[in-house]
């Protein structure tokens, strides 16, 4: 073969990339500065940050930064090994103790990221012949965990309990069954119907797992999550969540019964075969868990901002996908139009990111706005007006 000839794989990949370009789905990395602040910088341009998951503003918090810096000075930069070898730093015990106290759980485990948590938990607990029932809008890491498990993967229509019940009825009585759901859906910003899911899991002998990535820190009296907000924390068998969003840091957790956590420590490959988190991350996790309980006013402020933002955009006629939270999408439709909308926003000084399929369904490309406790109401007003002007110009609203 001549060196200039393309290998079949190279040809296939280049064709696919060209296709992604053609359908406006090719992704590009954009260098961003100050993402932890309410105003960020992209390409030297200052923009209002309506795109981060830093819901409570802790990512730029001086106390969190200090906790990390002190840990680096005291313990070094890296963990040097996986937890089961020599990477189980004393800060793990302290952070996990803070976690189980906060969540009032029997046992808990810190996992390197939310993605590996979902992948690992689901694929470790379920296997061939088991059943996984998963909301259509669940995060990709849940979908991937289900695929890796090789269990029978049944995806029910978003929040459609009738569909879920029909699928449950069709599964074998003896089989292990897992129902899994985001509590706050990451792209629509609406909530799962947890009361109904608890009822169904009890009726059909299933276990229930929740992903509180967008609920941790925000809902519940002490920010424990959306299940606590509803008083259902003891009905959810496996609660997973992340420290990378409202808690401003990085990493993830799972809490549940001791036997469950013990099993994960023994069998979860992403836990066993991956280097432990650096001490600085553990220190920031521990600090964030403390702060989130001590500062309920941030939650209140976030709720006020979210409610206002949702109400104003709805009044202008935008379709916000039934959002009930700090995640407020506006549906644009075609990919190209959503990209055009995002470009116009950025020109006006607003960072609102276009989300396209496969992250969201076809023809439902959207701008996913997120508000935070750090935003200034004046800035939100300014942004809402700009968004409405662009919306009218582009024919998204009348
Ligand atoms: N679950 C949900 C619902 C998420 O939105 C995300 C983050 N996008 C994750 C899991 C993954 O978490 P992490 O970013 O910590 O890997």
């Amino acid at each position: 073969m001549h060196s200039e000839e393309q290998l079949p794989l190279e040809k296939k990949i280049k064709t696919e990339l060209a296709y992604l370009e053609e359908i406006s789905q090719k992704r590009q990395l954009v260098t961003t500065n100050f993402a932890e602040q309410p105003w960020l910088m992209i390409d030297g341009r200052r923009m209002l940050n309506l795109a981060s998951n830093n819901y409570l503003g802790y990512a730029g918090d001086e106390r969190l930064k200090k906790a990390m810096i002190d840990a680096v000075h005291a313990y070094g930069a890296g963990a040097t090994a996986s937890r089961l070898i020599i990477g189980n730093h004393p800060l793990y015990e302290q952070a996990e103790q803070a976690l189980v106290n906060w969540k009032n759980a029997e046992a808990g485990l810190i996992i390197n990221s939310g993605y590996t948590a979902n992948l690992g938990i689901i694929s470790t607990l379920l296997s061939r012949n088991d059943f996984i029932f998963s909301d259509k809008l669940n995060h990709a890491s849940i979908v991937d965990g289900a695929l890796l498990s090789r269990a029978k993967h049944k995806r029910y229509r978003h929040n459609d309990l009738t569909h879920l019940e029909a699928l449950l009825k069709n599964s074998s009585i003896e089989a292990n069954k897992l129902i899994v759901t985001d509590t706050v859906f990451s792209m629509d910003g609406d909530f799962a119907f947890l009361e109904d899911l608890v009822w169904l899991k009890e009726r059909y002998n299933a276990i229930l797992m929740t992903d509180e990535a967008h609920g941790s820190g925000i809902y519940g009296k002490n920010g424990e999550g959306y299940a606590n907000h509803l008083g259902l924390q003891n009905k959810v068998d496996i609660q997973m969540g992340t420290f990378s969003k409202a808690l401003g840091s990085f990493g993830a957790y799972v809490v549940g019964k001791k036997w469950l956590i013990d099993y994960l420590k023994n069998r979860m490959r992403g836990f066993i075969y991956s280097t432990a988190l650096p001490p600085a991350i553990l220190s920031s996790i521990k600090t964030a868990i403390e702060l989130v309980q001590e500062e309920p006013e941030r939650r209140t402020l976030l709720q006020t901002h979210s409610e206002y933002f949702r109400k104003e955009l709805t009044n202008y006629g935008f379709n916000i996908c039934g959002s009930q939270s700090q995640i407020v999408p506006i549906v644009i439709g075609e990919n190209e139009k959503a990209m055009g909308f995002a470009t116009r926003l950025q020109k006006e000084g607003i960072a609102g990111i276009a989300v396209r399929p496969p992250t969201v369904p076809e023809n439902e490309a959207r701008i996913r706005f997120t508000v935070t406790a750090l935003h200034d109401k004046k800035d939100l007003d300014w942004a809402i007006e700009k968004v409405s002007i662009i919306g009218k110009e582009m024919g998204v609203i009348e």
Side-chain angles (χ1 to χ4, degrees):
M1 184 188 254
H2 298 297
S3 58
E4 63 272 17
E5 259 180 51
Q6 285 185 3
L7 291 165
L9 183 60
E10 182 181 350
K11 196 163 168 225
K12 175 178 168 271
I13 288 171
K14 286 184 171 167
T15 308
E16 195 173 326
L17 285 171
Y19 175 68
L20 287 176
E21 184 92 58
E22 191 187 313
I23 61 168
S24 300
Q25 274 192 29
K26 179 127 183 272
R27 289 159 197 251
Q28 301 287 357
L29 286 170
V30 180
T31 302
T32 306
N33 284 305
F34 309 120
E36 80 288 5
Q37 295 180 19
W39 288 83
L40 52 68
M41 295 278 280
I42 296 177
D43 279 342
R45 294 213 317 275
R46 194 168 172 266
M47 297 178 202
L48 185 65
N49 184 356
L50 291 177
S52 90
N53 297 324
N54 182 24
Y55 304 127
L56 297 177
Y58 286 126
D61 192 280
E62 291 304 324
R63 296 161 297 181
L64 236 64
K65 287 201 254 181
K66 184 171 181 315
M68 297 183 88
I69 292 163
D70 289 352
V72 168
H73 285 148
Y75 309 118
T80 82
S82 68
R83 286 186 73 179
L84 291 169
I85 308 296
I86 55 163
N88 195 32
H89 195 276
L91 280 170
Y92 261 114
E93 196 188 324
Q94 294 173 31
E96 281 173 349
Q97 193 57 53
L99 167 70
V100 295
N101 291 347
W102 173 45
K103 300 279 293 182
N104 198 14
E106 199 174 289
L109 187 68
I110 291 176
I111 301 173
N112 286 9
S113 77
Y115 184 88
T116 43
N118 279 334
L119 197 73
I121 296 164
I122 297 171
S123 64
T124 302
L125 299 181
L126 286 302
S127 53
R128 217 185 280 280
N129 299 327
D130 296 340
F131 283 80
I132 298 172
F133 302 90
S134 172
D135 190 291
K136 263 259 162 76
L137 293 193
N138 277 343
H139 192 256
S141 50
I142 295 178
V143 177
D144 294 355
L147 292 176
L148 189 62
S149 76
R150 298 182 192 167
K152 297 183 177 71
H153 187 195
K154 307 287 174 188
R155 298 180 75 189
Y156 57 92
R157 287 187 292 272
H158 178 49
N159 271 342
D160 185 337
L161 284 316
T162 312
H163 188 205
L164 170 59
E165 184 161 20
L167 294 171
L168 281 162
K169 268 190 188 143
N170 264 336
S171 65
S172 82
I173 296 173
E174 315 81 53
N176 297 317
K177 300 185 228 3
L178 173 78
I179 302 173
V180 56
T181 187
D182 288 11
T183 56
V184 181
F185 287 90
S186 58
M187 292 299 140
D188 285 36
D190 57 345
F191 300 135
F193 298 143
L194 275 190
E195 288 101 338
D196 301 286
L197 292 174
V198 165
W199 188 84
L200 284 171
K201 81 122 192 169
E202 285 176 350
R203 171 131 206 232
Y204 290 92
N205 245 347
I207 60 169
L208 178 60
M209 171 172 169
T210 52
D211 176 338
E212 293 268 21
H214 300 277
S216 297
I218 298 166
Y219 302 98
K221 186 163 171 292
N222 299 302
E224 305 94 325
Y226 185 64
N228 289 67
H229 170 74
L230 299 177
L232 292 172
Q233 63 277 14
N234 297 327
K235 302 280 185 179
V236 179
D237 306 281
I238 308 166
Q239 293 184 56
M240 169 273 175
T242 60
F243 300 115
S244 50
K245 299 182 172 73
L247 281 92
S249 174
F250 186 77
Y253 66 80
V254 56
V255 296
K257 294 282 187 217
K258 190 171 173 306
W259 57 262
L260 174 85
I261 302 300
D262 272 351
Y263 188 69
L264 292 175
K265 283 180 191 163
N266 279 278
R267 287 281 186 258
M268 193 165 87
R269 295 167 68 82
F271 172 80
I272 299 168
Y273 297 109
S274 192
T275 299
L277 287 170
I281 300 290
L282 299 168
S283 183
S284 69
I285 289 174
K286 180 173 161 269
T287 307
I289 292 173
E290 287 159 10
L291 292 178
V292 94
Q293 296 175 82
E294 288 162 10
E295 300 182 335
E297 60 281 3
R298 290 204 184 207
R299 276 190 280 291
T300 311
L301 197 56
L302 176 64
Q303 301 301 355
T304 308
H305 288 167
S306 313
E307 217 175 293
Y308 181 70
F309 201 72
R310 292 196 307 267
K311 193 177 93 226
E312 291 296 306
L313 289 181
T314 308
N315 286 347
Y316 272 113
F318 285 105
N319 170 4
I320 65 162
C321 288
S323 163
Q324 298 162 292
S325 70
Q326 72 282 1
I327 299 166
V328 190
I330 55 171
V331 175
I332 309 294
E334 292 151 11
N335 296 341
E336 226 164 289
K337 198 166 172 183
M339 295 299 286
F341 204 107
T343 307
R344 284 280 285 115
L345 283 172
Q346 295 197 3
K347 272 206 186 110
E348 296 290 344
I350 298 169
I353 303 305
V355 187
R356 293 160 284 168
T359 310
V360 295
E362 288 295 334
N363 289 318
E364 287 185 31
R366 66 195 63 179
I367 307 292
R368 177 185 184 267
F369 291 120
T370 49
V371 292
T372 72
L374 289 189
H375 282 118
D376 201 313
K377 166 121 181 335
K378 277 200 317 291
D379 291 341
L380 291 180
D381 277 332
W382 169 81
I384 289 162
E385 199 192 329
K386 292 278 182 215
V387 172
S388 73
I389 292 169
I390 300 169
K392 278 177 199 154
E393 274 174 25
M394 294 190 66
V396 177
I397 54 169
E398 288 180 0

